[in-house]
């Protein structure tokens, strides 16, 4: 049996155990065996990390010229590129995500640090056309303070980059809490942060459970900004926690993203886009296109093609380059998927492929690409976020009907439209209540493209030029240009 790897947390530029020396194990989803041990941060550890970040915020970091801070971000980008393969390997072991995806992603994430490095010295203030002739009023953007970044287990490098890069560029300091379901990737990333030479205390990375660690962090009185990505139930706790410190909060939550295929769609393109949208990363993606509406004329033919494509997906070990879908991340997820499928079938859903644990499941949490036909989209698999490779399919007749059905869900993160008609694409894109619409494509990200949802999918945008301002506050400065003394407020004029 291979030896369990031991990790420490990164606080104030040092690698430390938790003060109690408590640890917890992380499992490899491929074989359900523990492979590493990480510190279990207590409330005291959280306090130590936040105080280190606060000290760094009171030091030179926010006073550096923005372009000097940008150089550190570029150094992080360089480290990521040089270590993408090693980092990808660790993320695959810890999360079960495909190596070919984690390695490529680690490389691409470097672009986010470069992008925000470039933006660091381009955030300008304003001169206010004030209604008092002798006054000059200017506004400037200032950093907020200590940022708590709460990260889920999936797409950790991306979800960290969209918080950390703009926060650092604007002069904030950060405490990152990794997910207890896959905590090692961010500790490995901490080594790259250390190599980038960033001053100590500016970035701290802790590992622990939602409670007490996440709770203590998001309610700590020195935290001024909370950037959360995770599930909607956890988000409710975050909002309650933030009542303790009155922090500014952004929430990137789940989704049940609808995708529509019209009769006139280019079918091969739509088949590939839909497959990528729901079966990429085994459906464990917040933007997974998990509700599919197919127009009636092409319904049978298109669905048959989709099923035949889904049945050919190669399920297997995530390090193998030929594997197309790896395991799910946890047993809890597998159980939740099975529960929802069972309920859907009991209520009239028709299983067309997949639907049962793979034989590989004796070891890992493998679940095949699954397609269920649903008479209505209120069946459990069509309504709830399952975070797995489960596609619920419904038929529709008209454009209006498609729009109404697509909007009839509590989430509003992503969506997809497949049609050859430009006007229809425009009309549907405008009518869909979601933060992101993909037309004749799906599952793309970029540092330049704002990302985030509406409704129960959260608020606040990550990535894109505007997102950097989410890590600043406006300061208003009044300048009196008059040589005359101010009038005595208590003298009647
Ligand atoms: P989760 O909500 O269970 O956990 C997310 C993080 O919150 C973890 O670090 C956890 O330790 C922490 N946490 C738990 N309880 C807490 C508390 N009381 N106080 C503070 N922190 C606490 O999510 P998960 O299972 O890791 O990830 C899956 C979810 O994340 C899905 O719903 C998915 O859609 C969502 N997600 C959203 C996006 C997006 O950008 N919109 C991206 C990826 C994942």
């Amino acid at each position: 049996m291979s030896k369990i790897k031991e990790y420490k947390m990164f606080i104030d530029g040092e690698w430390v155990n938790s003060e109690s020396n408590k640890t917890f194990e992380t499992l490899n989803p491929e074989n359900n065996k523990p492979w590493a041990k990480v510190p279990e941060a207590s409330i005291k550890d959280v306090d130590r990390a936040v105080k280190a970040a606060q000290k760094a915020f009171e030091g030179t970091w926010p006073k550096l010229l923005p372009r000097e801070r940008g150089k550190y971000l570029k150094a992080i980008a360089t480290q990521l590129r040089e270590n993408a393969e090693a980092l990808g390997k660790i993320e695959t072991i810890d999360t079960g995500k495909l190596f070919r995806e984690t390695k490529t992603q680690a490389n691409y994430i470097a672009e986010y640090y470069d992008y925000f490095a470039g933006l660091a010295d381009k955030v300008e203030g304003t001169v206010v056309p004030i209604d008092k002739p002798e006054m000059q009023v200017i506004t400037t953007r200032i950093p907020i303070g200590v940022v708590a970044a709460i990260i889920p287990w999936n797409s950790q490098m991306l979800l960290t980059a969209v918080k950390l890069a703009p926060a650092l560029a604007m002069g904030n300091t950060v405490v990152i809490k990794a997910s207890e379901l896959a905590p090692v990737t961010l500790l490995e990333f901490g080594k790259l942060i250390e190599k980038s030479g960033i001053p100590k205390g500016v970035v701290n990375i802790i590992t622990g459970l939602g409670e007490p660690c996440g709770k203590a962090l998001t309610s700590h009185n020195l935290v001024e900004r909370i950037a959360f990505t995770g599930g909607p139930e956890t988000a409710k706790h975050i909002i309650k926690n933030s009542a303790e410190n009155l922090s500014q909060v952004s929430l990137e939550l789940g989704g049940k993203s609808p995708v529509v295929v019209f009769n006139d769609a280019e079918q091969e393109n739509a088949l590939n886009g839909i497959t990528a949208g729901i079966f990429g990363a085994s459906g464990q993606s917040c933007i997974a296109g998990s509700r599919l509406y197919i127009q009636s004329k092409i319904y049978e033919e298109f669905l048959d093609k989709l099923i035949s494509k889904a049945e050919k997906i190669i399920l297997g070990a995530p390090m193998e380059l030929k594997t197309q879908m790896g395991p799910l991340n946890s047993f809890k997820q597998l159980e939740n998927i099975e529960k929802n499928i069972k309920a859907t079938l009991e209520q009239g859903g028709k299983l067309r492929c997949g639907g049962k644990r793979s034989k590989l499941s004796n070891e890992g949490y493998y679940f095949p690409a699954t397609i269920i036909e649903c008479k209505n989209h209120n069946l459990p698999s069509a309504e709830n976020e399952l975070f797995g490779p489960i596609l619920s399919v419904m038929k529709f007749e008209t454009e209006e009907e498609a729009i109404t059905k697509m909007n009839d869900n509590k989430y509003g993160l992503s969506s997809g439209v497949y049609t050859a008609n430009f006007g229809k694409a425009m009309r549907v894109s405008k009518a869909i209540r979601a933060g992101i619409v993909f037309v004749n494509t799906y599952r793309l990200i970029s540092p330049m493209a704002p990302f985030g949802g509406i409704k129960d999918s959260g608020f606040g945008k990550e990535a894109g030029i505007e997102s950097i301002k989410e890590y600043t506050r406006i300061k208003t400065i009044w300048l009196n240009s008059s040589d005359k003394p101010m009038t005595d407020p208590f003298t009647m004029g």
Side-chain angles (χ1 to χ4, degrees), residues 10 71 93 137-138 146 150 155 160 171-172 216 222 236 302 305 314 321-322 332 342 368 421 445 450 456 460 481:
F10 189 55
K71 286 181 189 163
I93 297 171
V137 172
I138 59 171
V146 177
I150 309 284
S155 301
T160 300
N172 303 279
L222 292 176
K236 291 178 189 164
F302 189 82
K305 285 185 193 164
I314 303 167
L321 292 183
K322 69 173 191 330
K332 208 172 130 200
K342 186 167 176 278
N421 181 317
I445 52 161
D456 280 13
S481 63

Side-chain angles (χ1 to χ4, degrees), residues 124-128 137-141 473-477:
E124 297 175 343
T126 61
V127 177
V128 180
V137 172
I138 59 171
T139 67
T140 151
R141 294 257 171 193
R473 293 248 168 92
I474 292 176
K475 179 186 270 185
T476 308
I477 303 176

Side-chain angles (χ1 to χ4, degrees), residues 274-294:
I274 290 161
T275 305
I278 184 63
F279 301 129
S282 300
Q284 302 169 108
S285 156
C286 53
I287 58 169
S290 52
R291 281 192 289 148
L292 178 63
Y293 298 91
I294 307 175

Side-chain angles (χ1 to χ4, degrees), residues 150-155 159 163 177-181 208-211 213-216 218 228-235 237-238 241 251-255 284-287 332-333 385 387 411 413 451-453 457 462:
I150 309 284
I151 312 294
W153 71 265
N154 71 314
S155 301
L159 299 170
K163 300 169 178 60
K177 183 208 158 309
S179 164
E180 59 271 49
L181 293 175
L209 308 182
E211 287 194 31
C213 172
K215 182 174 178 186
T218 49
F228 171 79
T229 303
E233 286 312 310
T234 316
H237 289 285
I238 300 289
N241 300 347
L251 302 174
E252 290 290 348
L253 312 179
Q284 302 169 108
S285 156
C286 53
I287 58 169
K332 208 172 130 200
Q333 247 174 270
E385 183 188 39
F387 225 56
Y411 293 110
L413 183 53
F451 183 97
S457 293
E462 295 191 321

